[in-house]
Amino acid sequence: MERFKSNGGGEHVNAAYDPTLDEPPVYEDTNLSNGDNRMVRPSVVSAFGHDTLDRLPHIDFYRNAGSVSGHRAVRPSLQELHEVFQKNGAISVPDTVEDDGEGSDGTPSDDVESAAPIDSNKGVVKFGWIRGVLVRCMLNIWGVMLFIRLSWIFGQAGWGLGIVVIALSCVVTTITGLSMSAICTNGVVRGGGAYYLISRSLGPEFGGSIGLIFAFANAVAVAMYVVGFAETVVELLQDHDAIMVDALNDVRIIGCITVVLLLAISVAGMEWEAKAQIVLLVILLVAIVNVFVGTFIPVTSDKKSKGIFNYDSKIFLENFPPDFREGESFFSVFAIFFPAATGILAGANISGDLRDPQAAIPKGTLLAILITGVTYLGVALCVSATVVRDATGRLSDFINDTTGLDCTGSSAQAACELGYNFSSCAVQKCDFGLMNNNQVMTLVSGFGPLIIAGTFSATLSSALASLVSAPKVFQALCKDNIYKVLHFFAKGHGKNNEPIRGYVLTFIISVAFILIGNLNTIAPIISNFFLASYALINFSCFHASYAKSPGWRPAYKYYNMWLSLLGAVLCCIVMFVINWWAALITYAIEIILYIYVIVKKPDVNWGSSKQAVTFVSAVSNALSLSGVEDHVKNFRPQILALTGSARARPALLDLAHSFTKNYGLCITSEVFVGPRSEAREEMNAGMEKNQLWLRTTKRKAFYAAVACEDFREGTETLLQASGLGRMKPNTLMIGFKRNWKTAGAEAVQNYVGILHDAFDFEYGTVMLRMNQGLDVSHIVEAEEEMLRAAKEQQELENEMMPNGGKARGLFRKSRKSSQQVLTTRVSVCGPPPPQVAKMNEKLVEASAQFKTKQPKGTIDVWWLFDDGGLTLLLPYILTTRKKWKDSKLRIFIAGQPGRSELDKEEMKSLLKKFRIKCNDINVIDDIHIQPRSDSVKKLEDMIEPFRLRKDSRDSSQAEAVRKEQPWKITDEELSTFEEKTNLQVRLNELLQEHSKSANLIIVSMPIARKESISDFLYMAWLDVLTKDLPPTLLIRGNHKSVLTFYS
């Protein structure tokens, strides 16, 4: 690795260089065309012909942390390329790249890029698109519907509407397949199937909710398919009088034995499961071919009596119109058929076991939809052309002599013309025909037992696919740690990372539902669970396309965002068509899980389309807002708070947050002072940390920072550049500088200069003073130091203790931020002196004052000067907050002697017009009198070190000192502004008299004219005005109205 000297002088390892790419930097002589030779790096000479630290584009630079399909390389950072030549090759920037895994559980997620070759020595089984997707989807879609209910559907709907039923189902599944193809070709697809696709597109809220119900639906689907298989077996046992106990218990026994066998196949590994699927596919294909072959074999008299003939146009035409019976309709028939088409995710669900899921899922899924759709249609049309709707099954109904037979008006006209009289079926229900016999396929086929074998194959293959899908999806969900209580099931076993724990859980759920025996009630809910997944896949594609994010670049181009939206709407409609109460239950469960994930806020960031749409919406709204002129009715304080780091001045931040809450802009800002290179590094390191702290402590605020050589210059930058369009600060909030008397002239000039700048830029200005101070940064640093020390101590104790036992030492409680931790500045040497600890304790207590509910009391507003109404609006906003609801407004105004009542009535009238409720109005008519001498003496003592006295020097000496120290307070200045100075002293006396017990005092801020009042005199005014009072806010609006009484 390349090494360089850090600022501290020690050697530092630069992690931004890969040793295989950059070391050793060996040079060799290379002859050029002009006869010269140059020392070049062999690694880059072929590309550039000269030495460079830049790297050629390569896939390894774009891998995630923890990639299992290739080594992750880290390119040189911009700072390293920028600095290296300026400093003669000595890189002096810290590490700029860290590998942070994508997984929310703190471990790097697998990065199974499809381009990476599979190491055959490891024995990992990966499937291609045929075995992995096509076979699975076909087996899942070809269910018992093909052999048991398809003939009944076409008998009810006729082949005209029957085609519509199949076509509409294929339209929904095809649109979903196209949407899924677009999503899974927009980047690497890992394990998790539908859950992975939805969660990475719409975020953890949608993904987490649908992932859980989708995994559960697959687990219950295992029970449904197995019960279907067991019922068929029990029917055979009944035909041969071989019932073990009774029909219901036999279904349970056979079902449980079947699930155990299927579990054994699944746990044995994906290779065994795939082989079993191939065997089942062969059986199923033979059974389907057997149906087609049977339609060409000449039928016997027995079959004819049961309504089965060879191809005949009369039968085909008779079966064209619908003949809905027993309350059935098109929608009820469609609801019965559609679940047969819901197996299109069987391949996607094992996406982690596919060799190239990006290519396999689109190709295999769409081809499976086409093949199965054509198969369903072909089988249904063949049966519609060979089987009549009703037949008695009696050979006696054969008509020997059809000469002169008039079949017009007969309910079974086609059969009548073919020599059979099935007209009795119009009076009483018959047992045969499309409408009455579920075993039509067995009768039509060439060899009946093959249809039974096909039924077994269809049910078992679907059960096996669901038994594999449920644990795989569930494992992916648990790996992401969205539901922390389920993380136990994330662990995989073996070379294929098999979810054994998930298999066991699926087995338990399946057996539980098999023991219920009757799944007719829960079947509609399961179908709706699958449909909800389809709807969200379609919506994911639409949402990602709608967001127009540059990262949405699917390789599969045959999709359309509006078609995907149509697919999502169709899925939602079909959910209600199948069963309205099941649809409502599905939505309710999904909403509950969605809210749960939102509340828990999992620590994941997958770059979802939700983020992209939020960004687009924010930009659009900001642009719309910028085209609208500000109006006084819509004014709200947008605060730029000079807090330093987000944790440094909690009282200032809490009060600013109370003003803005969720309804206004609050920016907590920090200026890093020093050489730009050093300040920039510190600033970059703290940006994410401070914003994260604001988010975790639920402060609705932004963090902004600038790096400058000078504090005032940095603040000026913030004042000018913060915000966006109309979303920019209009009020500066700053803490009072308590140490102004010892800080030095430059610091005071900078501080007062910031106030001048705020007024120049027409900002409202708010200054907070608390007796204990605001800055707790030294305590925060001490807390962080303690936590670091505790962590090191814990690690050391864990290493020393056997069996990884838990330590019970001094630092056990220091993991939590407690009052004791905060109030003690910790160092490795020992605790601070008692007086320092006591001061810190008071400071911490005061800093948390505005975080909690305020006690019953008052907010005293001394509205002395009309500044546009900001001095009145801010306290009113406070009274609307829950924390301040017990604090009542008291308003103090200056009045002339002899007309106090008139001034009070005028203020009452004004407040009434402003619709601000306040009955406690006080007129102070003795502000103009001189302050007490002891109060004046305190002010004089305060400014004494900063005065320039001429009486002890001659004029030339005084002028020289004035030039050297222009910030000093002159006698002329004091004389000129004597009345204004006395006013501040007098106001403090009145504040002490009237507002000493208030929860918060708000006073109009005095303004100092530029180049007229010295900075130290102005600071003395602010100090003496707010001295020894409860928390005090000095407010000065920008003298533009923020209150109005017009509607």
Side-chain angles (χ1 to χ4, degrees):
M1 286 190 178
E2 298 223 1
R3 298 180 181 274
F4 56 88
K5 296 291 183 179
S6 66
N7 294 333
E11 190 175 40
H12 190 77
V13 179
N14 180 12
Y17 289 93
D18 184 85
T20 61
L21 296 175
D22 291 326
E23 289 191 355
V26 180
Y27 296 86
E28 60 182 22
D29 285 338
T30 299
N31 294 322
L32 304 179
S33 58
N34 58 5
D36 296 335
N37 58 359
R38 179 190 288 171
M39 301 295 287
V40 297
R41 300 275 294 272
S43 60
V44 292
V45 63
S46 60
F48 301 110
H50 66 90
D51 179 29
T52 178
L53 294 180
D54 267 321
R55 290 283 161 257
L56 292 173
H58 196 274
I59 188 174
D60 288 345
F61 292 132
Y62 296 91
R63 297 190 189 279
N64 282 340
S67 170
V68 297
S69 59
H71 173 70
R72 186 195 186 206
V74 185
R75 68 180 66 82
S77 72
L78 182 63
Q79 287 86 353
E80 287 157 340
L81 292 173
H82 193 211
E83 300 283 351
V84 64
F85 297 111
Q86 292 181 2
K87 299 188 178 181
N88 299 320
I91 301 172
S92 61
V93 293
D95 298 349
T96 55
V97 179
E98 295 178 359
D99 288 354
D100 52 343
E102 183 185 315
S104 60
D105 56 354
T107 59
S109 299
D110 292 341
D111 185 14
V112 286
E113 287 90 342
S114 57
I118 301 300
D119 187 353
S120 58
N121 296 328
K122 294 182 179 179
V124 177
V125 178
K126 295 288 182 181
F127 301 110
W129 71 275
I130 295 178
R131 289 180 68 193
V133 183
L134 179 64
V135 170
R136 292 174 185 280
C137 287
M138 288 195 304
L139 284 171
N140 231 20
I141 297 172
W142 281 332
V144 291
M145 179 69 63
L146 185 63
F147 302 113
I148 303 295
R149 300 286 276 174
L150 188 61
S151 57
W152 177 86
I153 287 170
F154 269 63
Q156 290 276 357
W159 62 263
L161 286 180
I163 292 174
V164 176
V165 168
I166 294 177
L168 186 57
S169 301
C170 288
V171 165
V172 174
T173 54
T174 302
I175 293 174
T176 305
L178 293 173
S179 300
M180 184 169 62
S181 300
I183 296 171
C184 71
T185 57
N186 190 53
V188 173
V189 178
R190 302 194 180 107
Y195 159 72
Y196 185 86
L197 297 178
I198 294 170
S199 63
R200 268 50 177 187
S201 295
L202 292 178
E205 299 87 2
F206 281 106
S209 58
I210 204 66
L212 199 58
I213 67 174
F214 185 73
F216 177 77
N218 273 286
V220 178
V222 175
M224 288 175 57
Y225 294 128
V226 169
V227 167
F229 167 77
E231 286 176 346
T232 308
V233 174
V234 169
E235 285 179 10
L236 291 175
L237 292 176
Q238 286 176 329
D239 291 341
H240 295 84
D241 294 326
I243 292 294
M244 293 177 284
V245 184
D246 57 59
L248 180 60
N249 284 310
D250 282 9
V251 167
R252 292 169 177 165
I253 293 168
I254 295 169
C256 291
I257 294 171
T258 306
V259 171
V260 170
L261 294 175
L262 293 177
L263 179 67
I265 294 172
S266 302
V267 172
M270 291 297 294
E271 185 66 28
W272 283 95
E273 188 265 349
K275 289 176 181 177
Q277 293 278 28
I278 293 295
V279 173
L280 295 172
L281 177 65
V282 170
I283 296 172
L284 200 52
L285 287 173
V286 171
I288 292 170
V289 171
N290 182 39
V291 173
F292 287 112
V293 171
T295 58
F296 291 97
I297 297 175
V299 295
T300 62
S301 298
D302 180 60
K303 284 190 175 182
K304 287 182 179 180
S305 69
K306 294 176 180 177
I308 297 164
F309 301 86
N310 290 113
Y311 288 103
D312 193 283
S313 59
K314 300 183 188 67
I315 297 175
F316 193 58
L317 290 174
E318 185 178 74
N319 287 333
F320 171 74
D323 184 13
F324 295 114
R325 303 178 189 174
E326 298 175 358
E328 300 294 345
S329 66
F330 172 81
F331 292 107
S332 65
V333 169
F334 175 78
I336 291 170
F337 174 80
F338 187 82
T342 58
I344 63 171
L345 295 178
N349 287 339
I350 62 161
S351 54
D353 296 296
L354 300 176
R355 206 165 20 242
D356 184 4
Q358 289 177 284
I361 293 175
K363 194 188 304 182
T365 304
L366 293 172
L367 189 57
I369 293 171
L370 176 63
I371 293 172
T372 53
V374 170
T375 306
Y376 271 117
L377 206 54
V379 170
L381 290 177
C382 286
V383 173
S384 297
T386 57
V387 185
V388 295
R389 280 193 168 105
D390 298 288
T392 59
R394 297 190 298 264
L395 291 173
S396 58
D397 287 332
F398 175 67
I399 305 172
N400 291 319
D401 185 11
T402 57
T403 307
L405 181 66
D406 184 12
C407 296
T408 306
S410 172
S411 59
Q413 185 175 344
C416 177
E417 292 178 358
L418 291 171
Y420 281 85
N421 182 14
F422 296 146
S423 57
S424 61
C425 294
V427 180
Q428 61 182 19
K429 184 177 173 62
C430 293
D431 295 329
F432 296 96
L434 293 176
M435 302 289 279
N436 309 306
N437 187 5
N438 288 336
Q439 301 300 325
V440 166
M441 295 297 180
T442 306
L443 298 173
V444 170
S445 65
F447 184 61
L450 273 179
I451 300 301
I452 297 174
T455 305
F456 288 168
S457 174
T459 52
L460 292 178
S461 62
S462 297
L464 192 56
S466 297
L467 185 58
V468 171
S469 297
K472 295 280 184 183
V473 173
F474 192 58
Q475 182 187 35
L477 174 67
C478 297
K479 270 186 177 179
D480 288 334
N481 210 18
I482 292 176
Y483 303 100
K484 295 186 183 299
V485 71
L486 300 177
H487 191 62
F488 171 79
F489 296 97
K491 184 175 175 58
H493 298 80
K495 296 171 182 176
N496 258 47
N497 197 33
E498 293 292 343
I500 301 299
R501 296 172 179 176
Y503 281 127
V504 173
L505 180 63
T506 304
F507 170 77
I508 293 171
I509 294 172
S510 303
V511 170
F513 280 94
I514 286 170
L515 294 177
I516 294 173
N518 184 5
L519 297 178
N520 290 338
T521 304
I522 201 166
I525 299 177
I526 302 307
S527 297
N528 274 297
F529 281 1
F530 286 120
L531 275 167
S533 305
Y534 294 0
L536 281 180
I537 288 174
N538 283 306
F539 185 72
S540 297
C541 182
F542 164 76
H543 205 252
S545 304
Y546 177 77
K548 293 182 172 56
S549 171
W552 173 249
R553 302 185 301 276
Y556 188 85
K557 300 297 182 185
Y558 304 104
Y559 74 95
N560 180 275
M561 61 182 285
W562 300 111
L563 196 62
S564 296
L565 181 62
L566 174 64
V569 173
L570 283 176
C571 288
C572 294
I573 293 172
V574 171
M575 288 174 70
F576 281 97
V577 168
I578 289 177
N579 193 299
W580 66 267
W581 59 261
L584 293 177
I585 290 174
T586 304
Y587 286 131
I589 293 173
E590 191 172 333
I591 290 169
I592 290 169
L593 292 173
Y594 179 87
I595 293 171
Y596 174 84
V597 177
I598 283 181
V599 171
K600 289 296 180 182
K601 289 186 175 61
D603 186 20
V604 293
N605 183 6
W606 295 320
S608 66
S609 59
K610 181 182 174 186
Q611 295 173 350
V613 169
T614 302
F615 179 83
V616 170
S617 177
V619 172
S620 176
N621 289 336
L623 288 171
S624 299
L625 201 59
S626 65
V628 179
E629 295 246 351
D630 287 332
H631 194 281
V632 62
K633 285 198 297 184
N634 293 324
F635 175 87
R636 62 188 68 217
Q638 317 260 53
I639 291 179
L640 177 68
L642 291 179
T643 59
S645 74
R647 300 180 63 186
R649 291 169 177 81
L652 191 66
L653 176 59
D654 288 335
L655 201 54
H657 186 246
S658 294
F659 289 137
T660 58
K661 202 71 173 177
N662 301 327
Y663 315 108
L665 177 68
C666 180
I667 301 176
T668 170
S669 54
E670 183 172 12
V671 178
F672 290 87
V673 179
R676 195 175 71 169
S677 58
E678 297 175 13
R680 185 192 64 229
E681 292 164 18
E682 188 181 355
M683 180 182 72
N684 291 340
M687 289 290 286
E688 196 66 33
K689 178 181 171 185
N690 280 285
Q691 192 62 54
L692 177 64
W693 184 85
L694 288 170
R695 193 164 62 249
T696 53
T697 54
K698 298 182 180 178
R699 263 53 166 221
K700 308 293 184 184
F702 299 96
Y703 172 79
V706 292
C708 280
E709 302 280 346
D710 178 75
F711 181 69
R712 181 180 178 183
E713 181 187 344
T715 307
E716 189 177 352
T717 302
L718 288 167
L719 288 169
Q720 293 182 82
S722 295
L724 182 69
R726 299 285 182 196
M727 295 286 293
K728 63 181 301 179
N730 53 31
T731 305
L732 174 69
M733 196 160 178
I734 191 170
F736 177 72
K737 191 173 183 63
R738 292 176 73 227
N739 66 341
W740 67 273
K741 288 177 277 192
T742 57
E746 185 179 357
V748 172
Q749 286 171 337
N750 275 340
Y751 181 82
V752 177
I754 289 169
L755 299 177
H756 286 309
D757 293 338
F759 294 140
D760 286 343
F761 294 125
E762 295 190 336
Y763 271 69
T765 306
V766 179
M767 182 185 294
L768 174 63
R769 179 172 186 177
M770 298 177 69
N771 288 332
Q772 296 82 0
L774 298 170
D775 189 1
V776 297
S777 55
H778 61 288
I779 300 177
V780 172
E781 290 169 8
E783 179 195 2
E784 291 175 349
E785 183 182 344
M786 170 176 270
L787 292 174
R788 281 194 299 270
K791 189 175 181 181
E792 292 170 7
Q793 178 74 10
Q794 187 69 51
E795 290 173 356
L796 185 62
E797 288 181 6
N798 286 342
E799 289 176 8
M800 296 176 64
M801 293 179 71
N803 302 323
K806 291 186 178 179
R808 294 185 178 274
L810 171 65
F811 298 97
R812 183 169 178 81
K813 288 189 178 178
S814 64
R815 290 178 180 270
K816 289 188 176 180
S817 176
S818 64
Q819 190 81 353
Q820 186 177 359
V821 171
L822 283 171
T823 55
T824 308
R825 185 171 184 178
V826 178
S827 70
V828 292
C829 304
Q835 64 272 20
V836 175
K838 184 126 180 119
M839 287 173 58
N840 287 343
E841 185 178 355
K842 288 183 178 178
L843 177 57
V844 170
E845 187 179 344
S847 67
Q849 180 172 340
F850 302 127
K851 198 178 297 182
T852 57
K853 190 174 185 295
Q854 299 301 299
K856 203 164 187 180
T858 62
I859 299 175
D860 287 1
V861 182
W862 292 71
W863 194 14
L864 305 177
F865 315 111
D866 194 328
D867 58 352
L870 188 67
T871 306
L872 182 61
L873 179 63
L874 291 182
Y876 166 75
I877 290 174
L878 279 184
T879 61
T880 65
R881 308 302 188 217
K882 194 179 293 184
K883 291 177 184 176
W884 294 85
K885 68 176 184 178
D886 292 334
S887 298
K888 305 302 179 185
L889 279 182
R890 283 202 307 172
I891 296 179
F892 296 82
I893 59 172
Q896 298 178 15
R899 50 168 291 164
S900 297
E901 285 303 318
L902 184 59
D903 291 336
K904 185 174 183 178
E905 288 302 318
E906 286 179 355
M907 179 55 62
K908 270 188 179 180
S909 174
L910 182 60
L911 292 177
K912 187 176 180 180
K913 288 185 176 181
F914 286 151
R915 302 167 307 284
I916 294 176
K917 187 177 179 181
C918 179
N919 297 320
D920 196 345
I921 301 172
N922 301 273
V923 179
I924 308 299
D925 58 4
D926 56 349
I927 291 180
H928 61 282
I929 67 173
Q930 289 293 314
R932 297 191 305 268
S933 57
D934 60 322
S935 300
V936 175
K937 180 69 168 58
K938 288 179 182 177
L939 174 68
E940 290 174 350
D941 292 341
M942 186 185 297
I943 63 175
E944 181 60 35
F946 313 107
R947 291 187 64 178
L948 177 66
R949 295 186 177 275
K950 291 186 178 180
D951 51 5
S952 59
R953 303 181 180 90
D954 59 33
S955 57
S956 59
Q957 284 181 326
E959 191 61 30
V961 173
R962 175 69 174 167
K963 286 182 180 178
E964 289 176 11
Q965 300 172 326
W967 46 266
K968 286 216 167 186
I969 305 169
T970 63
D971 294 337
E972 291 86 353
E973 182 184 358
L974 278 177
S975 176
T976 303
F977 296 104
E978 182 180 1
E979 289 183 356
K980 203 164 185 178
T981 303
N982 289 337
L983 175 62
Q984 314 311 320
V985 179
R986 175 60 182 156
L987 279 174
N988 181 260
E989 292 177 350
L990 293 170
L991 288 166
Q992 296 281 357
E993 178 184 345
H994 295 280
S995 300
K996 189 69 174 177
S997 60
N999 289 342
L1000 181 68
I1001 300 174
I1002 293 175
V1003 188
S1004 294
M1005 179 190 290
I1007 291 183
R1009 289 187 178 275
K1010 288 189 293 185
E1011 299 181 5
S1012 298
I1013 300 174
S1014 63
D1015 298 332
F1016 279 95
L1017 180 58
Y1018 185 50
M1019 288 304 300
W1021 285 0
L1022 300 178
D1023 195 339
V1024 75
L1025 174 61
T1026 57
K1027 195 173 182 63
D1028 299 327
L1029 291 172
T1032 304
L1033 275 179
L1034 295 175
I1035 299 179
R1036 174 67 72 156
N1038 64 0
H1039 286 247
K1040 293 181 180 177
S1041 295
V1042 299
L1043 294 170
T1044 181
F1045 44 80
Y1046 294 107
S1047 59

